[in-house]
Amino acid sequence: CRLAHCLLARGDAAGRVGLTHHELAVELGTAREVVSRQLKAFERRGWIRMERGRLAIEDPAALATLARSPA
């Protein structure tokens, strides 16, 4: 998953990513709505926590596994 890979690559040492949904979408070349849907799914699984204008990676191992998957 390109989004999982992007989050891990852009996260700081504390696991914080200071990008908005729009900025992530532009970086990935997709629509903001697609990114928002995926982030919401990641949050439901407990992998991330969304905050205003940034997000926190809660389970980097799960994101890394997803980032390595061929889908």
Side-chain angles (χ1 to χ4, degrees):
C1 173
R2 293 184 313 140
L3 178 58
H5 184 271
C6 180
L7 293 177
L8 291 169
R10 298 297 298 267
D12 64 15
R16 300 232 187 279
V17 180
L19 296 172
T20 65
H21 295 198
H22 174 76
E23 291 166 332
L24 286 166
V26 169
E27 185 167 322
L28 295 171
T30 190
R32 183 196 54 78
E33 292 82 2
V34 172
V35 169
S36 294
R37 249 190 322 267
Q38 275 193 302
L39 289 174
K40 195 60 160 169
F42 291 177
E43 187 176 44
R44 278 194 306 271
R45 291 182 173 105
W47 299 347
I48 66 165
R49 185 179 69 248
M50 289 194 280
E51 302 166 352
R52 185 154 186 86
R54 67 179 182 183
L55 57 89
I57 297 171
E58 298 289 313
D59 190 346
L63 287 179
T65 298
L66 184 61
R68 287 190 303 268
S69 71

Short mmCIF file of all heavy atoms in Angstrom, two decimals:
data_model
loop_
_atom_site.label_atom_id
_atom_site.label_comp_id
_atom_site.label_asym_id
_atom_site.label_seq_id
_atom_site.Cartn_x
_atom_site.Cartn_y
_atom_site.Cartn_z
N CYS A 1 0.85 -1.18 0.00
CA CYS A 1 0.00 0.00 0.00
C CYS A 1 0.89 1.25 0.00
O CYS A 1 1.73 1.43 0.89
CB CYS A 1 -0.90 -0.04 1.22
SG CYS A 1 -1.88 1.43 1.49
N ARG A 2 0.71 2.07 -0.99
CA ARG A 2 1.55 3.27 -1.12
C ARG A 2 1.33 4.25 0.01
O ARG A 2 2.27 4.91 0.46
CB ARG A 2 1.28 3.96 -2.47
CG ARG A 2 1.72 3.15 -3.65
CD ARG A 2 1.55 3.86 -4.97
NE ARG A 2 0.25 4.49 -5.10
CZ ARG A 2 0.05 5.69 -5.66
NH1 ARG A 2 1.03 6.38 -6.13
NH2 ARG A 2 -1.17 6.18 -5.74
N LEU A 3 0.10 4.34 0.51
CA LEU A 3 -0.18 5.27 1.61
C LEU A 3 0.56 4.85 2.87
O LEU A 3 1.17 5.67 3.55
CB LEU A 3 -1.68 5.38 1.87
CG LEU A 3 -2.10 6.29 3.02
CD1 LEU A 3 -1.58 7.72 2.82
CD2 LEU A 3 -3.60 6.29 3.18
N ALA A 4 0.54 3.57 3.20
CA ALA A 4 1.25 3.07 4.39
C ALA A 4 2.73 3.35 4.26
O ALA A 4 3.38 3.81 5.21
CB ALA A 4 1.00 1.58 4.57
N HIS A 5 3.29 3.11 3.08
CA HIS A 5 4.71 3.37 2.85
C HIS A 5 5.02 4.86 3.02
O HIS A 5 6.01 5.23 3.66
CB HIS A 5 5.11 2.90 1.45
CG HIS A 5 6.56 3.06 1.17
ND1 HIS A 5 7.08 4.20 0.63
CD2 HIS A 5 7.60 2.22 1.39
CE1 HIS A 5 8.39 4.07 0.52
NE2 HIS A 5 8.72 2.87 0.97
N CYS A 6 4.18 5.70 2.48
CA CYS A 6 4.36 7.15 2.57
C CYS A 6 4.31 7.61 4.03
O CYS A 6 5.14 8.43 4.46
CB CYS A 6 3.30 7.86 1.75
SG CYS A 6 3.42 9.66 1.77
N LEU A 7 3.37 7.10 4.80
CA LEU A 7 3.25 7.50 6.20
C LEU A 7 4.50 7.12 6.98
O LEU A 7 5.02 7.92 7.77
CB LEU A 7 2.03 6.84 6.84
CG LEU A 7 0.67 7.28 6.33
CD1 LEU A 7 -0.44 6.49 7.00
CD2 LEU A 7 0.45 8.78 6.51
N LEU A 8 4.99 5.92 6.75
CA LEU A 8 6.20 5.48 7.45
C LEU A 8 7.41 6.31 7.03
O LEU A 8 8.25 6.66 7.86
CB LEU A 8 6.45 3.99 7.18
CG LEU A 8 5.43 3.05 7.81
CD1 LEU A 8 5.62 1.63 7.26
CD2 LEU A 8 5.54 3.07 9.33
N ALA A 9 7.50 6.63 5.74
CA ALA A 9 8.64 7.40 5.24
C ALA A 9 8.61 8.84 5.73
O ALA A 9 9.66 9.44 5.98
CB ALA A 9 8.66 7.36 3.71
N ARG A 10 7.43 9.41 5.88
CA ARG A 10 7.30 10.82 6.25
C ARG A 10 7.16 11.05 7.75
O ARG A 10 7.21 12.17 8.21
CB ARG A 10 6.09 11.44 5.54
CG ARG A 10 6.16 11.44 4.02
CD ARG A 10 7.31 12.27 3.47
NE ARG A 10 7.20 13.66 3.82
CZ ARG A 10 6.63 14.61 3.10
NH1 ARG A 10 6.11 14.30 1.95
NH2 ARG A 10 6.60 15.84 3.53
N GLY A 11 7.01 9.98 8.52
CA GLY A 11 6.85 10.11 9.97
C GLY A 11 8.16 10.51 10.64
O GLY A 11 9.24 10.08 10.22
N ASP A 12 8.06 11.31 11.69
CA ASP A 12 9.25 11.68 12.45
C ASP A 12 9.57 10.59 13.47
O ASP A 12 8.92 9.55 13.51
CB ASP A 12 9.08 13.06 13.10
CG ASP A 12 7.97 13.12 14.15
OD1 ASP A 12 7.50 12.05 14.59
OD2 ASP A 12 7.59 14.24 14.53
N ALA A 13 10.55 10.83 14.32
CA ALA A 13 10.97 9.83 15.30
C ALA A 13 9.85 9.46 16.27
O ALA A 13 9.81 8.34 16.79
CB ALA A 13 12.19 10.34 16.07
N ALA A 14 8.94 10.38 16.52
CA ALA A 14 7.82 10.13 17.43
C ALA A 14 6.62 9.51 16.71
O ALA A 14 5.58 9.27 17.32
CB ALA A 14 7.40 11.43 18.11
N GLY A 15 6.74 9.28 15.40
CA GLY A 15 5.64 8.69 14.65
C GLY A 15 4.58 9.69 14.23
O GLY A 15 3.45 9.31 13.94
N ARG A 16 4.92 10.95 14.17
CA ARG A 16 3.97 11.98 13.76
C ARG A 16 4.21 12.35 12.28
O ARG A 16 5.35 12.48 11.86
CB ARG A 16 4.13 13.24 14.60
CG ARG A 16 3.89 13.00 16.07
CD ARG A 16 2.88 13.99 16.60
NE ARG A 16 2.71 13.94 18.04
CZ ARG A 16 1.97 13.06 18.68
NH1 ARG A 16 1.36 12.13 18.02
NH2 ARG A 16 1.84 13.10 19.99
N VAL A 17 3.12 12.49 11.56
CA VAL A 17 3.18 12.89 10.16
C VAL A 17 2.43 14.21 10.04
O VAL A 17 1.23 14.27 10.31
CB VAL A 17 2.54 11.83 9.23
CG1 VAL A 17 2.61 12.27 7.78
CG2 VAL A 17 3.21 10.48 9.43
N GLY A 18 3.13 15.26 9.67
CA GLY A 18 2.54 16.59 9.61
C GLY A 18 2.02 16.96 8.24
O GLY A 18 2.35 18.02 7.72
N LEU A 19 1.24 16.09 7.65
CA LEU A 19 0.65 16.36 6.34
C LEU A 19 -0.87 16.22 6.42
O LEU A 19 -1.38 15.35 7.12
CB LEU A 19 1.17 15.35 5.30
CG LEU A 19 2.66 15.38 4.99
CD1 LEU A 19 3.03 14.20 4.10
CD2 LEU A 19 3.04 16.68 4.31
N THR A 20 -1.54 17.06 5.68
CA THR A 20 -3.00 16.96 5.61
C THR A 20 -3.39 15.86 4.62
O THR A 20 -2.55 15.38 3.84
CB THR A 20 -3.62 18.29 5.15
OG1 THR A 20 -3.18 18.54 3.81
CG2 THR A 20 -3.22 19.44 6.06
N HIS A 21 -4.65 15.50 4.62
CA HIS A 21 -5.15 14.51 3.67
C HIS A 21 -4.90 15.00 2.24
O HIS A 21 -4.50 14.21 1.38
CB HIS A 21 -6.66 14.28 3.86
CG HIS A 21 -7.00 13.69 5.18
ND1 HIS A 21 -8.20 13.08 5.42
CD2 HIS A 21 -6.32 13.60 6.35
CE1 HIS A 21 -8.25 12.64 6.65
NE2 HIS A 21 -7.12 12.96 7.24
N HIS A 22 -5.11 16.28 2.00
CA HIS A 22 -4.89 16.86 0.67
C HIS A 22 -3.42 16.73 0.27
O HIS A 22 -3.11 16.33 -0.87
CB HIS A 22 -5.33 18.32 0.64
CG HIS A 22 -4.99 19.01 -0.64
ND1 HIS A 22 -5.71 18.79 -1.79
CD2 HIS A 22 -4.01 19.89 -0.96
CE1 HIS A 22 -5.17 19.51 -2.76
NE2 HIS A 22 -4.14 20.18 -2.28
N GLU A 23 -2.52 17.06 1.16
CA GLU A 23 -1.08 16.98 0.85
C GLU A 23 -0.66 15.53 0.57
O GLU A 23 0.14 15.28 -0.35
CB GLU A 23 -0.26 17.56 2.00
CG GLU A 23 -0.42 19.07 2.13
CD GLU A 23 0.11 19.63 3.43
OE1 GLU A 23 0.13 18.91 4.46
OE2 GLU A 23 0.52 20.81 3.42
N LEU A 24 -1.18 14.59 1.35
CA LEU A 24 -0.88 13.19 1.08
C LEU A 24 -1.41 12.77 -0.29
O LEU A 24 -0.74 12.06 -1.03
CB LEU A 24 -1.50 12.30 2.17
CG LEU A 24 -0.80 12.31 3.52
CD1 LEU A 24 -1.69 11.67 4.58
CD2 LEU A 24 0.53 11.58 3.44
N ALA A 25 -2.61 13.21 -0.62
CA ALA A 25 -3.21 12.86 -1.91
C ALA A 25 -2.38 13.40 -3.07
O ALA A 25 -2.14 12.69 -4.05
CB ALA A 25 -4.64 13.40 -1.99
N VAL A 26 -1.93 14.64 -2.94
CA VAL A 26 -1.10 15.23 -4.00
C VAL A 26 0.20 14.44 -4.15
O VAL A 26 0.62 14.12 -5.26
CB VAL A 26 -0.82 16.72 -3.70
CG1 VAL A 26 0.25 17.27 -4.62
CG2 VAL A 26 -2.10 17.53 -3.83
N GLU A 27 0.81 14.10 -3.03
CA GLU A 27 2.07 13.35 -3.07
C GLU A 27 1.89 11.97 -3.71
O GLU A 27 2.76 11.50 -4.43
CB GLU A 27 2.63 13.19 -1.65
CG GLU A 27 3.98 12.54 -1.62
CD GLU A 27 4.66 12.66 -0.28
OE1 GLU A 27 4.56 13.71 0.37
OE2 GLU A 27 5.31 11.68 0.11
N LEU A 28 0.74 11.34 -3.45
CA LEU A 28 0.48 10.00 -3.98
C LEU A 28 -0.19 10.02 -5.35
O LEU A 28 -0.37 8.97 -5.97
CB LEU A 28 -0.37 9.21 -3.00
CG LEU A 28 0.30 8.91 -1.66
CD1 LEU A 28 -0.71 8.33 -0.69
CD2 LEU A 28 1.48 7.99 -1.85
N GLY A 29 -0.61 11.18 -5.81
CA GLY A 29 -1.26 11.28 -7.11
C GLY A 29 -2.65 10.67 -7.12
O GLY A 29 -3.03 10.00 -8.09
N THR A 30 -3.40 10.90 -6.06
CA THR A 30 -4.75 10.35 -5.97
C THR A 30 -5.68 11.42 -5.39
O THR A 30 -5.26 12.53 -5.10
CB THR A 30 -4.76 9.06 -5.11
OG1 THR A 30 -6.04 8.43 -5.23
CG2 THR A 30 -4.45 9.33 -3.67
N ALA A 31 -6.94 11.08 -5.24
CA ALA A 31 -7.92 12.03 -4.72
C ALA A 31 -7.88 12.08 -3.19
O ALA A 31 -7.62 11.06 -2.54
CB ALA A 31 -9.33 11.64 -5.18
N ARG A 32 -8.17 13.23 -2.63
CA ARG A 32 -8.20 13.40 -1.18
C ARG A 32 -9.20 12.45 -0.54
O ARG A 32 -8.96 11.90 0.53
CB ARG A 32 -8.53 14.85 -0.82
CG ARG A 32 -8.51 15.11 0.70
CD ARG A 32 -9.20 16.38 1.09
NE ARG A 32 -10.57 16.49 0.61
CZ ARG A 32 -11.62 15.87 1.14
NH1 ARG A 32 -11.48 15.09 2.18
NH2 ARG A 32 -12.83 16.02 0.63
N GLU A 33 -10.32 12.23 -1.20
CA GLU A 33 -11.35 11.36 -0.66
C GLU A 33 -10.84 9.93 -0.49
O GLU A 33 -11.19 9.24 0.47
CB GLU A 33 -12.59 11.36 -1.56
CG GLU A 33 -13.33 12.68 -1.58
CD GLU A 33 -12.73 13.72 -2.53
OE1 GLU A 33 -11.72 13.43 -3.23
OE2 GLU A 33 -13.26 14.84 -2.55
N VAL A 34 -10.02 9.47 -1.44
CA VAL A 34 -9.45 8.12 -1.37
C VAL A 34 -8.53 8.02 -0.16
O VAL A 34 -8.59 7.06 0.61
CB VAL A 34 -8.70 7.78 -2.68
CG1 VAL A 34 -7.94 6.47 -2.54
CG2 VAL A 34 -9.67 7.73 -3.84
N VAL A 35 -7.67 9.02 0.02
CA VAL A 35 -6.75 9.05 1.15
C VAL A 35 -7.54 9.10 2.46
O VAL A 35 -7.23 8.36 3.40
CB VAL A 35 -5.78 10.25 1.04
CG1 VAL A 35 -5.00 10.45 2.34
CG2 VAL A 35 -4.82 10.05 -0.13
N SER A 36 -8.56 9.94 2.52
CA SER A 36 -9.37 10.06 3.73
C SER A 36 -10.02 8.73 4.10
O SER A 36 -10.04 8.34 5.27
CB SER A 36 -10.44 11.13 3.56
OG SER A 36 -9.84 12.40 3.43
N ARG A 37 -10.54 8.02 3.10
CA ARG A 37 -11.17 6.71 3.35
C ARG A 37 -10.16 5.71 3.89
O ARG A 37 -10.44 4.98 4.85
CB ARG A 37 -11.78 6.17 2.05
CG ARG A 37 -13.27 6.15 2.06
CD ARG A 37 -13.86 5.39 0.88
NE ARG A 37 -13.17 5.54 -0.38
CZ ARG A 37 -13.48 6.46 -1.30
NH1 ARG A 37 -14.47 7.29 -1.11
NH2 ARG A 37 -12.81 6.52 -2.42
N GLN A 38 -8.98 5.68 3.29
CA GLN A 38 -7.95 4.75 3.74
C GLN A 38 -7.47 5.09 5.14
O GLN A 38 -7.29 4.20 5.98
CB GLN A 38 -6.76 4.74 2.78
CG GLN A 38 -6.94 3.80 1.62
CD GLN A 38 -5.64 3.59 0.89
OE1 GLN A 38 -5.03 4.53 0.41
NE2 GLN A 38 -5.22 2.35 0.80
N LEU A 39 -7.27 6.37 5.42
CA LEU A 39 -6.83 6.79 6.75
C LEU A 39 -7.86 6.43 7.80
O LEU A 39 -7.52 6.00 8.90
CB LEU A 39 -6.52 8.28 6.78
CG LEU A 39 -5.27 8.72 6.02
CD1 LEU A 39 -5.16 10.23 6.02
CD2 LEU A 39 -4.01 8.09 6.61
N LYS A 40 -9.13 6.60 7.48
CA LYS A 40 -10.20 6.25 8.41
C LYS A 40 -10.16 4.75 8.71
O LYS A 40 -10.34 4.32 9.86
CB LYS A 40 -11.56 6.67 7.84
CG LYS A 40 -12.65 6.67 8.85
CD LYS A 40 -12.31 7.65 9.94
CE LYS A 40 -13.54 8.05 10.70
NZ LYS A 40 -13.20 8.78 11.91
N ALA A 41 -9.92 3.94 7.68
CA ALA A 41 -9.81 2.49 7.88
C ALA A 41 -8.60 2.16 8.76
O ALA A 41 -8.69 1.31 9.64
CB ALA A 41 -9.70 1.77 6.53
N PHE A 42 -7.48 2.84 8.52
CA PHE A 42 -6.28 2.63 9.36
C PHE A 42 -6.58 3.01 10.81
O PHE A 42 -6.15 2.33 11.74
CB PHE A 42 -5.11 3.47 8.86
CG PHE A 42 -4.52 3.07 7.53
CD1 PHE A 42 -3.50 3.81 6.97
CD2 PHE A 42 -4.97 1.96 6.83
CE1 PHE A 42 -2.94 3.47 5.75
CE2 PHE A 42 -4.41 1.60 5.61
CZ PHE A 42 -3.40 2.35 5.07
N GLU A 43 -7.34 4.09 11.00
CA GLU A 43 -7.66 4.54 12.35
C GLU A 43 -8.58 3.53 13.06
O GLU A 43 -8.38 3.22 14.23
CB GLU A 43 -8.30 5.92 12.31
CG GLU A 43 -8.51 6.52 13.69
CD GLU A 43 -9.05 7.93 13.64
OE1 GLU A 43 -9.98 8.21 12.86
OE2 GLU A 43 -8.52 8.76 14.40
N ARG A 44 -9.56 3.01 12.33
CA ARG A 44 -10.46 2.00 12.91
C ARG A 44 -9.69 0.77 13.38
O ARG A 44 -10.05 0.13 14.35
CB ARG A 44 -11.53 1.58 11.91
CG ARG A 44 -12.70 2.52 11.83
CD ARG A 44 -13.88 1.90 11.08
NE ARG A 44 -13.53 1.43 9.76
CZ ARG A 44 -13.58 2.16 8.64
NH1 ARG A 44 -13.96 3.42 8.69
NH2 ARG A 44 -13.26 1.63 7.48
N ARG A 45 -8.63 0.43 12.66
CA ARG A 45 -7.81 -0.73 13.03
C ARG A 45 -6.81 -0.41 14.14
O ARG A 45 -6.12 -1.30 14.61
CB ARG A 45 -7.06 -1.23 11.80
CG ARG A 45 -7.97 -1.86 10.77
CD ARG A 45 -7.17 -2.38 9.59
NE ARG A 45 -8.01 -3.12 8.69
CZ ARG A 45 -8.43 -2.65 7.52
NH1 ARG A 45 -8.09 -1.45 7.11
NH2 ARG A 45 -9.19 -3.40 6.75
N GLY A 46 -6.70 0.86 14.52
CA GLY A 46 -5.78 1.25 15.58
C GLY A 46 -4.35 1.46 15.11
O GLY A 46 -3.43 1.56 15.92
N TRP A 47 -4.15 1.57 13.80
CA TRP A 47 -2.81 1.75 13.27
C TRP A 47 -2.34 3.19 13.33
O TRP A 47 -1.14 3.45 13.43
CB TRP A 47 -2.74 1.27 11.83
CG TRP A 47 -3.06 -0.19 11.66
CD1 TRP A 47 -3.15 -1.13 12.64
CD2 TRP A 47 -3.34 -0.86 10.44
NE1 TRP A 47 -3.47 -2.35 12.10
CE2 TRP A 47 -3.59 -2.22 10.76
CE3 TRP A 47 -3.40 -0.46 9.12
CZ2 TRP A 47 -3.89 -3.16 9.78
CZ3 TRP A 47 -3.70 -1.40 8.16
CH2 TRP A 47 -3.94 -2.74 8.48
N ILE A 48 -3.28 4.13 13.23
CA ILE A 48 -2.96 5.56 13.31
C ILE A 48 -3.99 6.25 14.18
O ILE A 48 -5.05 5.69 14.48
CB ILE A 48 -2.93 6.24 11.91
CG1 ILE A 48 -4.34 6.25 11.30
CG2 ILE A 48 -1.91 5.62 10.99
CD1 ILE A 48 -4.49 7.19 10.13
N ARG A 49 -3.67 7.48 14.58
CA ARG A 49 -4.63 8.35 15.27
C ARG A 49 -4.62 9.68 14.52
O ARG A 49 -3.58 10.30 14.36
CB ARG A 49 -4.22 8.55 16.73
CG ARG A 49 -5.24 9.36 17.52
CD ARG A 49 -4.84 9.54 18.97
NE ARG A 49 -3.67 10.42 19.06
CZ ARG A 49 -2.45 10.04 19.44
NH1 ARG A 49 -2.19 8.80 19.77
NH2 ARG A 49 -1.46 10.90 19.48
N MET A 50 -5.77 10.08 14.02
CA MET A 50 -5.85 11.33 13.26
C MET A 50 -6.04 12.51 14.20
O MET A 50 -6.82 12.44 15.16
CB MET A 50 -6.96 11.26 12.23
CG MET A 50 -6.63 10.34 11.09
SD MET A 50 -7.71 10.51 9.67
CE MET A 50 -9.12 9.58 10.24
N GLU A 51 -5.32 13.58 13.91
CA GLU A 51 -5.43 14.84 14.62
C GLU A 51 -5.58 15.92 13.57
O GLU A 51 -5.42 15.67 12.39
CB GLU A 51 -4.16 15.06 15.46
CG GLU A 51 -3.90 13.94 16.45
CD GLU A 51 -2.51 13.97 17.05
OE1 GLU A 51 -1.67 14.78 16.59
OE2 GLU A 51 -2.27 13.19 17.98
N ARG A 52 -5.87 17.11 13.99
CA ARG A 52 -6.06 18.20 13.04
C ARG A 52 -4.73 18.57 12.37
O ARG A 52 -3.79 18.99 13.03
CB ARG A 52 -6.64 19.42 13.74
CG ARG A 52 -6.97 20.53 12.78
CD ARG A 52 -8.07 21.40 13.35
NE ARG A 52 -8.50 22.38 12.41
CZ ARG A 52 -9.43 22.18 11.49
NH1 ARG A 52 -10.01 21.02 11.39
NH2 ARG A 52 -9.79 23.14 10.65
N GLY A 53 -4.66 18.39 11.04
CA GLY A 53 -3.47 18.77 10.28
C GLY A 53 -2.30 17.83 10.41
O GLY A 53 -1.24 18.07 9.85
N ARG A 54 -2.48 16.73 11.12
CA ARG A 54 -1.40 15.73 11.24
C ARG A 54 -2.00 14.42 11.75
O ARG A 54 -3.17 14.36 12.10
CB ARG A 54 -0.29 16.22 12.16
CG ARG A 54 -0.72 16.35 13.59
CD ARG A 54 0.42 16.82 14.45
NE ARG A 54 -0.05 16.90 15.83
CZ ARG A 54 0.67 17.32 16.81
NH1 ARG A 54 1.89 17.71 16.60
NH2 ARG A 54 0.19 17.34 18.03
N LEU A 55 -1.17 13.41 11.80
CA LEU A 55 -1.62 12.14 12.35
C LEU A 55 -0.46 11.50 13.09
O LEU A 55 0.70 11.84 12.88
CB LEU A 55 -2.19 11.23 11.27
CG LEU A 55 -1.31 10.86 10.09
CD1 LEU A 55 -0.51 9.62 10.38
CD2 LEU A 55 -2.17 10.65 8.87
N ALA A 56 -0.79 10.56 13.95
CA ALA A 56 0.21 9.85 14.73
C ALA A 56 0.14 8.37 14.37
O ALA A 56 -0.94 7.78 14.33
CB ALA A 56 -0.06 10.04 16.22
N ILE A 57 1.30 7.79 14.11
CA ILE A 57 1.38 6.36 13.81
C ILE A 57 1.38 5.62 15.14
O ILE A 57 2.26 5.80 15.98
CB ILE A 57 2.66 6.05 13.00
CG1 ILE A 57 2.60 6.77 11.64
CG2 ILE A 57 2.80 4.54 12.81
CD1 ILE A 57 3.89 6.70 10.85
N GLU A 58 0.38 4.78 15.34
CA GLU A 58 0.22 4.02 16.57
C GLU A 58 0.78 2.61 16.46
O GLU A 58 1.22 2.03 17.45
CB GLU A 58 -1.27 3.93 16.95
CG GLU A 58 -1.92 5.28 17.22
CD GLU A 58 -1.44 5.89 18.52
OE1 GLU A 58 -1.42 5.18 19.53
OE2 GLU A 58 -1.10 7.09 18.50
N ASP A 59 0.75 2.02 15.26
CA ASP A 59 1.23 0.66 15.06
C ASP A 59 2.08 0.60 13.78
O ASP A 59 1.63 0.18 12.72
CB ASP A 59 0.04 -0.30 14.95
CG ASP A 59 0.43 -1.76 14.98
OD1 ASP A 59 1.64 -2.07 14.82
OD2 ASP A 59 -0.46 -2.60 15.16
N PRO A 60 3.36 1.02 13.90
CA PRO A 60 4.22 1.04 12.72
C PRO A 60 4.45 -0.34 12.12
O PRO A 60 4.61 -0.47 10.90
CB PRO A 60 5.52 1.67 13.21
CG PRO A 60 5.46 1.64 14.69
CD PRO A 60 4.02 1.54 15.08
N ALA A 61 4.43 -1.39 12.94
CA ALA A 61 4.64 -2.74 12.42
C ALA A 61 3.51 -3.15 11.47
O ALA A 61 3.76 -3.74 10.42
CB ALA A 61 4.76 -3.74 13.57
N ALA A 62 2.28 -2.82 11.83
CA ALA A 62 1.15 -3.15 10.96
C ALA A 62 1.23 -2.38 9.65
O ALA A 62 0.98 -2.94 8.58
CB ALA A 62 -0.17 -2.86 11.67
N LEU A 63 1.61 -1.11 9.72
CA LEU A 63 1.76 -0.31 8.50
C LEU A 63 2.90 -0.85 7.64
O LEU A 63 2.79 -0.88 6.42
CB LEU A 63 2.00 1.16 8.84
CG LEU A 63 0.80 1.94 9.35
CD1 LEU A 63 1.21 3.39 9.66
CD2 LEU A 63 -0.35 1.93 8.37
N ALA A 64 3.98 -1.27 8.27
CA ALA A 64 5.12 -1.82 7.52
C ALA A 64 4.72 -3.09 6.79
O ALA A 64 5.10 -3.30 5.63
CB ALA A 64 6.29 -2.06 8.46
N THR A 65 3.94 -3.93 7.45
CA THR A 65 3.46 -5.17 6.81
C THR A 65 2.59 -4.83 5.61
O THR A 65 2.73 -5.41 4.54
CB THR A 65 2.67 -6.02 7.81
OG1 THR A 65 3.54 -6.39 8.88
CG2 THR A 65 2.10 -7.28 7.16
N LEU A 66 1.70 -3.85 5.78
CA LEU A 66 0.83 -3.43 4.68
C LEU A 66 1.65 -2.80 3.54
O LEU A 66 1.39 -3.04 2.37
CB LEU A 66 -0.21 -2.44 5.19
CG LEU A 66 -1.24 -1.96 4.19
CD1 LEU A 66 -2.06 -3.14 3.66
CD2 LEU A 66 -2.14 -0.92 4.82
N ALA A 67 2.66 -2.01 3.89
CA ALA A 67 3.50 -1.36 2.88
C ALA A 67 4.25 -2.38 2.04
O ALA A 67 4.51 -2.14 0.85
CB ALA A 67 4.48 -0.40 3.56
N ARG A 68 4.59 -3.51 2.62
CA ARG A 68 5.32 -4.56 1.90
C ARG A 68 4.40 -5.45 1.07
O ARG A 68 4.89 -6.21 0.22
CB ARG A 68 6.11 -5.44 2.88
CG ARG A 68 7.33 -4.75 3.45
CD ARG A 68 8.19 -5.76 4.21
NE ARG A 68 7.47 -6.43 5.28
CZ ARG A 68 7.43 -6.01 6.54
NH1 ARG A 68 8.06 -4.94 6.90
NH2 ARG A 68 6.75 -6.70 7.45
N SER A 69 3.11 -5.37 1.30
CA SER A 69 2.18 -6.25 0.56
C SER A 69 2.12 -5.83 -0.91
O SER A 69 2.24 -4.65 -1.23
CB SER A 69 0.79 -6.22 1.19
OG SER A 69 0.18 -4.99 0.97
N PRO A 70 1.94 -6.77 -1.81
CA PRO A 70 1.95 -6.45 -3.24
C PRO A 70 0.77 -5.64 -3.74
O PRO A 70 0.80 -5.10 -4.82
CB PRO A 70 1.98 -7.83 -3.91
CG PRO A 70 1.43 -8.77 -2.91
CD PRO A 70 1.76 -8.18 -1.55
N ALA A 71 -0.29 -5.54 -2.97
CA ALA A 71 -1.49 -4.82 -3.42
C ALA A 71 -1.23 -3.40 -3.47
O ALA A 71 -1.13 -2.44 -3.30
CB ALA A 71 -2.67 -5.12 -2.51
#
